């Protein structure tokens, strides 16, 4: 039944696409939404992840509202926030930003929050917030310098991607690994199946 439904991913993140593919799901359309991701004054990192994931889903819904081709689609969005305490570490675009983030994360615990938002074909909105505690080992200047040279920090929240070289920095983690990558698979699949999207019928046959 659910195969007649289309899934729009309101993101251009290749990591989120890869994670959905891992679960046997191929999004019908990628719709990265250009919204202001700046936190509001005194906004908690968890609240920011919730708000931005909802705003991305709402923006995608507004964009397809008059397009009959996508009528009845599911819309899935997500936003991941990295924070030390209440201090939010944004997506690093410049080396000095990445350097500051890595110095802050070195030898400390930090939290990764991902807000996942699903809009159903009948326009119900469902959300989950998932959090993971991550501890980095103490990073040497040599390690930081070489990681910066790799460029893998660029465009990443907290200036790192756990699925790349920075995975070697992780001393301990409590919670979902896929959440830190950018889309908590367990909770996402729970949302989809709970709202009638038949994930398992999309699994390939051996």
């Amino acid at each position: 039944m659910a195969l007649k439904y289309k899934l729009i991913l309101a993101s251009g993140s290749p990591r989120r696409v890869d994670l959905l593919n891992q679960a046997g799901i191929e999004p019908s359309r990628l719709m990265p939404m250009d919204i202001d991701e700046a936190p509001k004054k005194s906004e908690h990192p968890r609240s920011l992840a919730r708000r931005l994931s909802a705003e991305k889903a709402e923006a995608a819904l507004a964009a397809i509202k008059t397009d009959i081709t996508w009528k009845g689609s599911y819309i899935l969005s997500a936003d991941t926030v990295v924070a030390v305490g209440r201090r939010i570490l944004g997506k690093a675009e410049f080396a000095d930003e990445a350097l500051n983030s890595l110095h802050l994360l070195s030898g400390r615990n930090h939290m990764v929050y991902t807000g996942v938002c699903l809009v159903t074909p009948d326009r119900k909105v469902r959300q989950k917030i998932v959090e993971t505690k991550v501890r980095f080992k103490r990073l040497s200047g040599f390690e930081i310098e070489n990681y910066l040279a790799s460029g893998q920090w660029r465009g990443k929240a907290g200036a790192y991607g756990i699925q790349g070289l920075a995975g070697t920095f992780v001393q301990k983690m409590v919670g979902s690994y896929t959440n830190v990558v950018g889309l908590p698979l367990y909770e996402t699949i729970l949302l989809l199946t709970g709202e009638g999207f038949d994930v398992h019928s999309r699994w390939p046959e051996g």
Side-chain angles (χ1 to χ4, degrees):
M1 176 191 77
L3 288 175
K4 68 183 179 181
Y5 292 122
K6 298 173 182 176
L7 177 68
I8 295 171
L9 179 62
S11 171
S13 166
R15 296 172 297 283
R16 292 189 178 121
V17 174
D18 287 346
L19 285 167
L20 284 175
N21 290 167
Q22 182 182 327
I25 300 171
E26 183 71 45
S28 304
R29 182 177 179 182
L30 301 182
M31 290 184 66
M33 293 291 106
D34 186 17
I35 65 169
D36 182 3
E37 298 188 5
K40 296 180 179 178
K41 186 177 180 181
S42 301
E43 188 170 25
H44 190 278
R46 182 184 177 93
S47 300
L48 177 63
R50 177 187 293 276
R51 177 173 65 82
L52 293 183
S53 63
E55 288 182 1
K56 289 177 181 179
E58 289 163 6
L61 178 60
I64 65 162
K65 217 159 195 176
T66 58
D67 189 343
I68 195 164
T69 307
W70 299 100
K71 184 178 181 182
S73 298
Y74 287 84
I75 298 172
L76 180 69
S77 66
D79 193 86
T80 300
V81 175
V82 175
V84 176
R86 293 181 66 100
R87 181 172 175 179
I88 295 167
L89 306 184
K91 295 177 181 175
E93 301 297 341
F94 301 101
D96 60 338
E97 295 172 334
L99 180 65
N100 291 337
S101 289
L102 292 169
H103 277 304
L104 188 62
L105 295 172
S106 177
R108 302 178 70 170
N109 292 326
H110 64 274
M111 298 297 298
V112 179
Y113 303 90
T114 300
V116 181
C117 185
L118 179 69
V119 180
T120 69
D122 58 359
R123 301 303 179 246
K124 285 192 294 183
V125 178
R126 296 287 182 262
Q127 267 192 295
K128 283 189 179 294
I129 309 297
V130 181
E131 57 187 69
T132 303
K133 181 188 285 187
V134 181
R135 182 176 183 85
F136 269 20
K137 68 176 185 176
R138 190 166 298 281
L139 303 177
S140 69
F142 180 76
E143 286 172 314
I144 291 175
E145 181 181 334
N146 279 273
Y147 187 67
L148 291 176
S150 77
Q152 291 191 10
W153 50 269
R154 200 178 304 277
K156 306 281 200 317
Y160 79 94
I162 196 171
Q163 72 281 8
L165 296 171
T168 64
F169 301 161
V170 177
Q171 186 176 13
K172 186 178 181 182
M173 183 170 60
V174 180
S176 166
Y177 170 81
T178 55
N179 179 52
V180 184
V181 178
L183 187 70
L185 271 186
Y186 172 77
E187 291 80 4
T188 299
I189 298 308
L190 207 61
L191 274 179
L192 286 165
T193 54
E195 294 301 331
F197 189 90
D198 190 353
V199 172
H200 303 102
S201 64
R202 295 164 185 264
W203 284 9
E205 295 182 3

